[in-house]
Amino acid sequence: MENEFQYRFLKALAAKGITAAELSRQTVINKVAIHKYIKGAYVPKLDRCYLLAKALDVDPGWLMTG
């Protein structure tokens, strides 16, 4: 079952229409970590969540907690 972060992350990623590789380039977070977020294996720490939210044009608070 998807975790809450994973659900919001996938929704934002789909809405932005970019690939994990492009997100990696925009955030300087490596592709392996991004794929772990996509699979729900890991939830990023606050600093990385902020970078992801900025690149995906969403609120960091929403991305982390809904």
Side-chain angles (χ1 to χ4, degrees), residues 4-5 7-9 49 59-66:
E4 292 295 319
F5 170 81
Y7 170 77
R8 289 186 298 275
F9 180 62
C49 187
D59 182 79
W62 173 82
L63 191 57
M64 282 299 289
T65 62

Side-chain angles (χ1 to χ4, degrees), residues 6-66:
Q6 179 189 24
Y7 170 77
R8 289 186 298 275
F9 180 62
L10 290 173
K11 186 175 180 178
L13 191 60
K16 185 71 174 178
I18 61 174
T19 64
E22 179 60 28
L23 185 60
S24 175
R25 282 190 291 279
Q26 289 183 18
T27 61
V28 298
I29 298 171
N30 72 48
K31 287 187 286 188
V32 173
I34 290 177
H35 283 288
K36 287 182 181 182
Y37 306 151
I38 289 170
K39 291 183 179 186
Y42 187 74
V43 175
K45 293 187 180 184
L46 191 56
D47 60 335
R48 287 187 171 199
C49 187
Y50 178 78
L51 293 172
L52 293 168
K54 186 175 178 184
L56 295 171
D57 295 324
V58 298
D59 182 79
W62 173 82
L63 191 57
M64 282 299 289
T65 62

